[in-house]
Amino acid sequence: MVVLGAGPAGLLLGNLLLAAGIDCVILERASRSHVENRARAGFLAPNTARILERHGLADGLHRYGHRHGTCEFRTREGRFRLDYGLLGQGEQHYVYPQQNLVTDLLRHYLDLGGRIRFDTEALAVHDADGTRPSVTAREPDGRPTRWTARYVAGCDGRHGAARRSLPPDAVRHHHDHGVTWLGLLAEAPPSLDAVGYALHERGFAGHMARTPEVTRYYLQWRRGTAADAWSEQRVWDELDVRMRAEDHGPLHRGPLLERGLFDLTCEVIEPLRHGSLLLAGDAASLLAPAAAKGANLAVLEAEMLATALTDALTRGDTTGLGTYSDRCLAHIWRAQEFTGWMTRLLHAAPDADANGGHGTGADALAGSFFQAGLRRSRIASLRTSRIHQDWFAENYVGV
Ligand code: APR
């Protein structure tokens, strides 16, 4: 087996294949230190925890992660909290920084004797329509190499070699929500004991704890503006305004360790299997970060793919591989649907210029008032309807 990418998908898949006695090598273009320190997501779904527990990979999560089950919406009409851990299926998230999960998975993979080639970029996947696909790669010293296996797992994200090697008939669904976030990592303790979603006339702001010392914030951001366009002072002042700090209490400020821009777009590749090449994680689908589902889908798909590959490689049973794409896509589309609903809840209709200037003038204005009315109604229903809150909770933590 050749696995492309050492993110949550590739590393979990590598661990499960090794545990099943299947030889595999992971090709990872970044360095080990980059992979282990890259701050990404941090909200693990209950099902993700169950998958890690099933395979003895949850030690770090149980030791350092902590449960979380409340989100707080702040709007012009006031604020309300949803203890989603007591709603729906009564399940909570784990807050556990992704770099910690990746470090756990990597250490476990190496302890099992797993092979991984850092600083080794996969360039293309060849002959995926046959039974001896190969991967051409560039070694750290620039030398070209070729890796041949029975199957290749593309876990190398949306810009990786697997996506580039898909056949022309692969369907690439793409949707742009027309919204951009400025993602911030602040060296400051969380300001709320909840995930904070602030819906303000000036734009969305978000607050998500990562550790007792570090907090993730988001600001809806005009697309095309540089991440460092504002001073730290101006960023914090804007967060105060949108989080309505005057009404609900000050935010804990601190140095901004990281800034990044996130266009809220989503993608789905169909199908996820092309002969001997199979996709998982961001290589298979990309979600807007509004509902923190990317890493959880990656773990789910990696376990499904590991089971299917193990059946095929150890027992010659390819049934699981045959249904892998449809089974994953059912989860992917459900996650896309909820993430799309959440994105429309949190943001006013995208700026006209974010959509390239379409819909200007009186019609657009009427349309945006109409959209604003729908949004107010959704928020009111979420605030008052227990049935709606149960639906929200089940989808918010589900994968
Ligand atoms: N060759 C080798 N490695 C590659 C290549 C390549 N051509 N291109 C990308 N990679 C590596 C990246 O360096 C990264 O380590 O593939 C890995 C992909 O990891 P992720 O982007 O984390 O993707 P995935 O494992 O699918 O996890 C998806 O986790 O990162 C979070 O929330 C994020 O939704 C995302 C989820």
Side-chain angles (χ1 to χ4, degrees), residues 3-12 26-31 34-35 38-42 98 102 117 119-124 135-137 154-162 164 280-287 289 292-299 301:
V3 178
L4 306 186
L11 285 169
L12 180 65
I26 299 177
L27 306 183
E28 167 55 55
R29 76 174 169 194
S31 68
H34 179 80
V35 163
R38 179 177 49 199
R40 299 285 292 268
Q98 178 164 315
V102 165
R117 311 277 301 203
D119 302 304
T120 300
E121 178 169 14
L123 302 174
V135 178
T136 45
C155 303
D156 50 347
R158 67 184 302 195
H159 299 304
R164 289 199 301 268
D282 273 10
S285 71
L286 196 77
L287 291 121
K293 290 197 176 293
N296 294 300
L297 260 184
V299 165
E301 290 159 8

Side-chain angles (χ1 to χ4, degrees), residues 134-205:
S134 62
V135 178
T136 45
R138 185 178 21 248
E139 294 291 310
D141 60 6
R143 270 183 317 110
T145 49
R146 183 180 287 265
W147 299 78
T148 302
R150 176 63 192 84
Y151 292 102
V152 174
C155 303
D156 50 347
R158 67 184 302 195
H159 299 304
R163 278 275 193 102
R164 289 199 301 268
S165 306
L166 291 175
D169 63 343
V171 178
R172 289 167 169 78
H173 302 281
H174 178 86
H175 175 70
D176 184 349
H177 290 287
V179 173
T180 293
W181 279 2
L182 171 67
L184 305 158
L185 213 53
E187 190 175 8
S191 304
L192 284 73
D193 63 347
V195 174
Y197 294 114
L199 288 59
H200 194 280
E201 305 70 61
R202 292 163 66 107
F204 166 75

